[in-house]
Amino acid sequence: MRNIIILFIVGLAISVSSCREDFQFEASTGNLTFSKDTVYLDTVFTNIGSSTYTLKVYNKSDKDIKIPTIQLGKGQASKYRMTVDGMVGENNRIFHDVELLAKDSLYIFIEVTTDVASANPTDFLYTDQIQFDSGDNFQKVELVTLIQDAYFLYPKRFADGTTETLNIEGIEEPVYGFFLDENDPVNGNEYNWGNDKPYVIYGYAAVPNGKTLTVQPGAKIHFHAESGLIVGNGGSFKAVGTLQNKIIFEGDRLEPGFSDVPGQWETIWLTAGSTNNEIEHVVIKNSVVGLNIDSNDGNFMTIKNTEIYNSSLVGIYAKTAKIQGENIVVNYGGVAALACTLGGSYDFKHCTFNNNWSSSRQVAVLLNNYYKNESNQNVAFDLTQADFKNCIIYGSNTYELKLDPDTSEDFNYSFTKCLIKFGSSTDALYSWIFNNPEIKRNENPRFLNIQSNKLNIGEDSAARDFGDNVGVPFDILGNQRITFDAGAYNWTTFED
């Protein structure tokens, strides 16, 4: 009897479920709602694909609906592409009978690849629409993208399908890169980077012996991922901007979400023997290593009024180099803001080295004069001088200065009128930091906004009036120094 009852219940359940009608989709009545009425795909370079942007479409009704068409207004000719809930439709541009359950939503993902010739010639905007249905039920969402033209520099492709590469001493495998060309048929003289439109670099652009790369004030240089600039033995690099027209080196992702993401491109590499390098009024952002400076040819290079932000490893990485730096600001580095290694000779005045990288091992300044060879033995070099005058060395860790000497060679350094973040220590190497009138230890510089790379100091900063006159009459903003504050900025009153 019990088994009969169970069979009866199972049979009843089957019969009930078999009578259930499947979802019944009604035609859309034009009452869709959207997460935004215009999708701005930010700025892209000619023929460089954008990031993917999202539009959410809602059916807030109590009925399951079927949208007869979702399509781009320009149809198959559109430079935009989209997927609708993972579907590709007709070439990612036209979709038919898209089903959407009651009280549910779907996602549309949008990308664009276009050129300046397709944009409106007056404002360089490329536009289209995502159109839903037609007639009385027609709805739309606007698509807008700003297109920038640019000079594109990249390795040549040869007839056999291979591409141009560079052989670099000390690196076993050839590097994807190319030598600049004085008479390029498209770009003209590639040793003179102007400011009429941006430059986009693929691979490593190389400056060989006897050549000078000159970057004009106001130039904007964008590096693709794993790209950079190499100045070879006997080559020169002169990037001299002005306060009003700074030179900017950064990645080629222009969307706001990438504005402060470290590691988007590699480095500016001034190799051993490069000569007469000058850097002034330059901004370097979001690299792996901002400036990678090998041993110079015997002459000091100058770095003035320069900002280096968000380096995934090091802001300035110097190896047996000779540098004179004034009004330098470096913020955020995965290892160090400034690393002076393998000895060398350095003179920094009115510089701000800060490191708030989220690591317990990062420092603002590292000084070192050796490396370990394959036998784990030190190979040491003279640190002839490492002079810091009126500088700020600060960050989020307890110790933001690291001295790492091999005493078999010279290890000379001095810190005069410097504000330094450094905790307690019994190491005799750091005894000079304590009870020293030339040093303010652990006193707050009161930066304006570290996360936004605004290292201006306020009127309550410990760096205010602490410095001496060391022959740098103007701060990084061009303001005359009446009194002498530590760091690159004169103090100012912050607005609420």
Side-chain angles (χ1 to χ4, degrees), residues 222-348:
H222 300 267
F223 293 95
H224 194 62
E226 300 182 359
S227 299
L229 174 66
I230 298 177
V231 182
N233 183 11
S236 298
F237 174 60
K238 296 185 183 297
V240 180
T242 66
L243 180 61
Q244 293 74 28
N245 288 288
K246 297 178 182 179
I247 297 168
I248 299 176
F249 296 91
E250 60 181 334
D252 65 350
R253 301 300 298 270
L254 305 183
E255 305 91 328
F258 285 85
S259 61
D260 58 359
V261 176
Q264 295 180 44
W265 56 284
E266 293 296 313
T267 188
I268 297 172
W269 186 3
L270 309 178
T271 67
S274 62
T275 182
N276 297 320
N277 300 313
E278 294 180 63
I279 298 174
E280 186 168 1
H281 289 296
V282 166
V283 179
I284 302 171
K285 299 167 55 180
N286 307 330
S287 63
V288 175
V289 175
L291 289 173
N292 187 359
I293 305 170
D294 282 341
S295 54
N296 309 73
D297 66 344
N299 298 315
F300 277 88
M301 72 165 293
T302 58
I303 307 173
K304 298 180 179 180
N305 302 305
T306 290
E307 304 157 67
I308 303 176
Y309 302 130
N310 308 324
S311 305
S312 61
L313 289 181
V314 183
I316 299 176
Y317 183 23
K319 292 157 285 184
T320 326
K322 293 186 175 182
I323 300 173
Q324 290 178 331
E326 298 177 2
N327 290 336
I328 298 172
V329 178
V330 186
N331 193 28
Y332 285 109
V335 175
L338 169 70
C340 299
T341 68
L342 310 185
S345 187
Y346 308 97
D347 184 18
F348 293 106

Side-chain angles (χ1 to χ4, degrees), residues 294-478:
D294 282 341
S295 54
N296 309 73
D297 66 344
N299 298 315
F300 277 88
M301 72 165 293
T302 58
I303 307 173
K304 298 180 179 180
N305 302 305
T306 290
E307 304 157 67
I308 303 176
Y309 302 130
N310 308 324
S311 305
S312 61
L313 289 181
V314 183
I316 299 176
Y317 183 23
K319 292 157 285 184
T320 326
K322 293 186 175 182
I323 300 173
Q324 290 178 331
E326 298 177 2
N327 290 336
I328 298 172
V329 178
V330 186
N331 193 28
Y332 285 109
V335 175
L338 169 70
C340 299
T341 68
L342 310 185
S345 187
Y346 308 97
D347 184 18
F348 293 106
K349 300 174 182 176
H350 283 289
C351 295
T352 300
F353 302 111
N354 186 74
N355 203 349
N356 274 54
W357 194 273
S358 56
S359 163
S360 61
R361 299 176 65 90
Q362 54 78 16
V363 295
V365 172
L366 164 67
L367 299 183
N368 163 287
N369 71 333
Y370 70 94
Y371 73 92
K372 289 188 178 294
N373 62 18
E374 295 178 354
S375 303
N376 202 35
Q377 296 175 324
N378 286 0
V379 179
F381 305 81
D382 286 336
L383 180 62
T384 306
Q385 69 175 105
D387 296 336
F388 294 80
K389 304 178 182 74
N390 298 356
C391 292
I392 297 174
I393 299 169
Y394 207 76
S396 55
N397 280 346
T398 302
Y399 300 90
E400 287 293 347
L401 172 65
K402 182 176 181 179
L403 307 178
D404 184 25
D406 182 310
T407 56
S408 67
E409 300 291 345
D410 289 344
F411 193 78
N412 299 313
Y413 57 88
S414 68
F415 295 83
T416 307
K417 297 295 184 179
C418 290
L419 189 157
I420 301 175
K421 179 81 172 289
F422 196 87
S424 60
S425 176
T426 58
D427 188 338
L429 185 64
Y430 298 100
S431 61
W432 55 271
I433 293 179
F434 303 92
N435 301 315
N436 183 347
E438 299 293 316
I439 303 298
K440 283 192 175 182
R441 183 177 70 92
N442 293 340
E443 296 193 38
N444 200 325
R446 302 292 181 190
F447 294 129
L448 175 58
N449 190 320
I450 294 169
Q451 289 72 29
S452 299
N453 293 317
K454 297 178 180 178
L455 301 189
N456 316 64
I457 59 172
E459 57 186 326
D460 58 347
S461 170
R464 177 179 175 179
D465 299 335
F466 184 56
D468 293 328
N469 186 349
V470 293
V472 184
F474 299 95
D475 79 349
I476 194 172
L477 298 178

Side-chain angles (χ1 to χ4, degrees), residues 88-104:
V88 298
E90 297 178 17
N91 201 26
N92 293 100
R93 289 166 173 81
I94 301 173
F95 302 78
H96 298 284
D97 296 328
V98 178
E99 297 174 349
L100 183 54
L101 297 176
K103 306 295 184 182
D104 203 355

